[in-house]
């Protein structure tokens, strides 16, 4: 049985050895010959191309037909005869054929991807083309050729390329003949060896029979020997029993130690913080876990053997030296942050806790380094939020009182302008006064917006148009030119157009100030998708990214982290509200604003706004409204100057006006007017009344008395959400302070007519 299995095994092995040769020839030898031909052709092509380049006189960074001299043509035709070249072409950097041994190819353009992506980037491109098949350019060949592209460089720039076709028909046929002859010889030798092996197997079978007989005798002697060994083993077992008991305790101790060490190493490797173990006396690192490798950006093999000081930046070398000498037990100064140095040069803030232990008669220090980058970032954001919260309280009160005064001033100015008659000089002065009041109004808006962002009257819009119009308006008449790259396929965003326009205005004004002598402000936008590890403090998703760049003097490194703080400014006459209000507006839109700046090299602000899931809404065009009207209107405001101004404006428009100081008085007057049969057609209410009932509470009671009454809310504290969602609180219209006669008249007319 064993004999037959052995013979079958050797026969199959011999048969497979014979089959190996054709498989080797087809799957390895032929491809190797082709690869050898390609490699040899590529090297020769590079050598020939270098030879041709000698005939060039490239004075510029491009090749043209003028560079193709008659000497080059003669040299090419001579080389074709000497090196079995089938065809030679010369290309420019644009892919144009400047010279070809086939004249009809001159002037054609090579637009293939391999030419632009590989050859024009300095890489060779070689391909074997069998006869009756097409080349990379689509040309049918009747012989076996190798197509090779060799780039031509000048001043480290690719200015063109040679395309060289080698005729390898004879060479390939010669190799094929050689392989076939060799294969026949090898097959013959293999057959002879197979016959010889079969004869040897026959002789081997006879020897196997004799060996089996000898094996039986050996088995008998082995059994006798094993019996003797068992006797001796029993004696040795009894002699070593005591020794085994002693070794057992030692093994148990060693195993417990190994288990403990394994648990320790697993805990170190699985730790969420970086752990460095070093000699307590020398400071030389002996072990590092995976988090340590990630924190420093180096593999453990590179860190082990280094001193602990190599982990820290060199700008505070004395402090880190003292810390390492004390095995990180020295008390640190208040608010002092420790850093490690990443391989990229970036400094990473860390908290370090360490302890010194005795291990195998050596003192080692185990340091745990906790990355606190995210915590510091969150603390910085929290500090900004606290500053904005504190400033908003101050800004709200100032803006509310200031807007009340502006309402009286602006209302009287707009009335005076209408009553100026034909005095153009007087009208001009009143228009300029209105502009000054509007600038004061913008300042109050910034005071309110930088802290809370103001009420958001959001619409789904195409952001490109809004950005371009805002930027062009700000730079009108200045020395700074604005260039916009705003694709038409930008995702729609849901924003308050006025607030986002203010953000763009503030940033473009900053760019204009940074380039006082003139320059270009570049604005570009793109669609981006941000994931959870993008480094931005926003919800992952789709965003529109807007970049506003200038080439001005840049922002000093020591102040770039403070530019979004309220009231911080480096300008002589700046208010410190522009960037802080822009920061607040973008944050309240669910976005993020960041800055990159290098002193002397300009500044780039990046705005990220969440993309809307809806399409852009159609913008309704404003219609002309006849401001004059009739009706009885009740005005409630705690400021006398406002009541007088609003009364004058409404009477000028043709309305009958009565006034109240606070909400309770307005309610009593509303009841009385209804009882005597002279009801009011509309009520205009101030939202906030210090020490009395405001419009938010009063509108509920008035609507209970007459659900059909039209109530308009007015306030200078325009960050109150009531102004943004006035209908949710029972109001029919809104007119923020300050306002002109046109604005007040339009709102009153629309509310009374039901168009609002």
């Amino acid at each position: 049985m064993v004999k037959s299995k052995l013979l079958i095994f050797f026969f199959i092995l011999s048969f497979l050895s014979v089959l190996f040769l054709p498989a080797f020839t087809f799957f390895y030898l032929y491809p190797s010959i082709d690869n050898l031909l390609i490699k040899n052709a590529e090297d020769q092509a590079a050598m020939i191309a270098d030879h041709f380049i000698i005939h060039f006189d490239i004075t510029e960074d491009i090749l043209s037909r003028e560079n193709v001299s008659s000497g080059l043509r003669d040299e090419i035709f001579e080389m074709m005869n000497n090196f079995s070249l089938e065809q030679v072409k010369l290309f420019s950097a644009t892919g144009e054929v400047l010279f070809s041994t086939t004249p009809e190819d001159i002037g054609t353009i090579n637009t293939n991807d391999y030419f632009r992506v590989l050859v024009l980037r300095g890489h060779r491109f070689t391909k074997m083309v069998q006869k009756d098949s097409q080349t990379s350019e689509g040309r049918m060949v009747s012989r076996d050729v190798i197509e090779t592209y060799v780039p031509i460089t000048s001043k480290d720039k690719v200015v063109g390329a040679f395309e060289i076709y080698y005729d390898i028909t004879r060479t390939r046929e010669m190799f094929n003949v050689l392989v076939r002859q060799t294969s026949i010889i090898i097959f013959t030798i293999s057959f002879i060896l197979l016959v010889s092996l079969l004869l040897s197997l026959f002789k081997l079978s006879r020897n196997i029979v004799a060996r089996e007989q000898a094996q039986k005798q050996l088995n008998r002697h082995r059994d006798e020997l094993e019996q003797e060994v068992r006797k001796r083993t029993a004696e040795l077992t009894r002699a070593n029993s005591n020794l085994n008991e002693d070794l057992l305790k030692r093994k148990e101790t060693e195993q417990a130690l190994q288990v403990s060490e394994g648990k320790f190493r697993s805990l170190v490797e699985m730790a969420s913080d970086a752990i460095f173990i070093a000699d307590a006396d020398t400071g030389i690192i002996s072990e590092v876990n995976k988090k340590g490798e990630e924190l420093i950006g180096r593999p453990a093999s590179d860190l082990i053997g280094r001193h602990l000081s190599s982990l820290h930046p060199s700008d505070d070398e004395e402090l880190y030296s003292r810390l390492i000498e004390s095995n990180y037990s020295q008390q640190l100064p208040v608010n002092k942050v420790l850093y490690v140095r990443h391989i990229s040069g970036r400094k990473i803030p860390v908290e370090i806790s360490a302890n010194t232990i005795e291990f195998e008669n050596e003192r080692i220090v185990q340091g745990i380094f906790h990355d606190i980058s995210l915590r510091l970032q969150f603390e910085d954001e929290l500090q900004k939020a606290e500053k904005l919260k504190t400033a908003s309280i101050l800004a709200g009160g100032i803006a509310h009182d200031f807007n009340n005064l502006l309402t009286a001033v602006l209302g009287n100015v707009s009335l005076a302008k209408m009553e100026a008659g034909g005095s153009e000089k007087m009208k001009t002065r009143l228009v300029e006064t209105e502009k000054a009041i509007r600038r004061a109004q913008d300042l109050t808006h910034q005071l309110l917006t930088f802290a809370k962002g103001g009420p958001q009257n959001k619409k789904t819009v195409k952001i490109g148009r809004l950005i371009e119009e805002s930027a062009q308006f700000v730079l009108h008449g200045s020395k700074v030119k604005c260039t916009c790259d705003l694709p038409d396929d930008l995702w729609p965003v849901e924003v308050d157009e006025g607030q986002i326009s203010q953000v763009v205005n503030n940033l473009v004004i900053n760019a204009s100030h940074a380039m006082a002598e003139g320059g270009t402000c570049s604005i570009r936008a793109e669609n981006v998708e941000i994931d959870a590890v993008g480094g931005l403090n926003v919800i992952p998703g789709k965003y529109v990214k807007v970049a506003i760049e200038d080439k001005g003097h840049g922002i000093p490194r020591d102040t770039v982290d403070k530019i979004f703080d309220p009231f911080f400014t480096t300008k002589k006459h700046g208010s410190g509200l522009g960037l802080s209000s822009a920061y607040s507006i973008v944050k309240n839109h669910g976005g993020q604003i960041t800055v990159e700046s290098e002193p002397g090299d300009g500044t780039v602000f990046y705005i990220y706004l969440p993309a809307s899931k809806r399409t852009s809404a159609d913008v309704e065009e404003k219609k002309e409204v006849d401001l004059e009207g009739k009706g009885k209107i009740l005005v409630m405001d705690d400021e006398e100057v406002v009541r007088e101004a609003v009364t004058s404006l409404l009477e000028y428009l043709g309305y009958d006006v009565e006034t109240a100081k606070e909400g309770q008085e307005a309610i009593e007057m509303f009841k009385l007017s209804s009882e005597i049969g002279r009801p009011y057609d509309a009520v205009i209410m101030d939202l906030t009344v210090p020490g009395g009932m405001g419009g938010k509470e009063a509108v509920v009671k008035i609507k209970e008395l007459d659900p059909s009454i039209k109530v308009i809310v007015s306030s200078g504290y325009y960050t109150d959400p009531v102004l943004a969602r006035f209908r949710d609180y029972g109001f029919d219209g809104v007119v923020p302070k300050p306002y002109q006669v046109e604005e007040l008249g339009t709102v009153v007319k629309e509310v009374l007519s039901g168009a609002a």
Side-chain angles (χ1 to χ4, degrees), residues 516-529:
E517 300 302 321
T520 300
C521 174
S522 302
I523 302 178
R524 54 189 181 274
E526 60 180 325
N527 297 325
V528 297
E529 292 195 27

Side-chain angles (χ1 to χ4, degrees), residues 187-374:
F187 287 145
T188 303
I189 294 173
S190 298
F191 179 76
I192 294 172
L193 290 175
L194 180 61
V195 173
S196 300
L197 181 60
L198 293 175
L199 292 174
S200 299
L201 290 176
F202 176 74
K203 293 180 181 180
L204 180 61
S205 65
R206 298 178 60 184
N207 293 334
I208 289 175
V209 174
R211 183 173 180 178
E212 287 178 349
Q213 294 176 353
Q215 185 68 36
K216 291 179 180 179
Q217 295 180 355
L218 288 174
N219 290 339
R220 187 179 70 253
H221 291 298
R222 183 192 64 194
D223 293 340
E224 294 174 354
L225 181 60
E226 286 180 351
Q227 185 177 358
E228 185 67 22
V229 168
R230 283 195 294 271
K231 182 194 282 187
R232 297 295 181 185
T233 301
E235 294 176 357
L236 290 173
T237 301
R238 289 190 299 271
N240 292 331
S241 60
N242 294 331
L243 180 61
N244 288 336
E245 291 178 0
D246 294 337
L247 292 175
L248 181 60
K249 293 182 179 180
R250 184 173 180 179
K251 286 181 179 179
E252 290 176 350
T253 303
E254 290 177 351
Q255 289 176 354
L257 182 61
Q258 289 176 355
V259 170
S260 177
E261 184 178 351
K263 290 181 178 179
F264 171 75
R265 291 187 179 277
S266 297
L267 288 173
V268 169
E269 287 300 319
M270 294 171 61
S272 59
D273 291 326
I275 298 178
F276 297 88
I277 298 176
D279 189 290
D281 298 319
T282 63
I284 300 301
I285 301 171
S286 58
E287 289 191 37
V288 183
N289 69 345
K290 290 183 179 179
K291 283 293 182 179
E293 294 178 347
E294 295 173 4
L295 183 66
I296 305 301
R298 297 178 183 273
S301 58
D302 191 13
L303 291 170
I304 294 175
R306 291 175 175 263
H307 195 271
L308 285 170
S309 60
S310 65
L311 303 178
H312 301 288
S314 57
D315 55 359
D316 205 347
E317 187 175 352
E318 183 178 351
L319 171 63
Y320 292 115
S321 297
R322 292 198 305 270
L323 276 175
I324 294 170
E325 288 176 3
S326 67
N327 293 326
Y328 294 102
S329 62
Q330 179 179 323
Q331 188 71 26
L332 290 174
V334 179
N335 297 328
K336 178 65 179 178
V337 179
L338 298 178
Y339 294 90
V340 294
R341 182 179 57 195
H342 191 267
I343 190 173
S344 63
R346 178 169 52 92
K347 294 199 303 182
I348 302 174
V350 293
E351 280 183 348
I352 303 175
S353 57
N355 63 314
T356 305
I357 58 177
E358 295 283 342
F359 182 75
E360 295 183 354
N361 298 325
E362 292 183 0
R363 290 175 64 249
I364 63 172
V365 58
Q366 176 179 284
I368 301 176
F369 290 59
H370 177 62
D371 186 349
I372 59 173
S373 301
L374 282 178

Side-chain angles (χ1 to χ4, degrees), residues 550-570:
D550 67 69
K551 294 299 181 181
H553 47 68
I555 303 173
R557 292 188 178 91
D558 58 344
T559 61
V560 71
D561 293 332
K562 304 176 185 177
I563 61 173
F564 295 118
D565 290 351
F567 307 115
F568 176 81
T569 181
T570 58

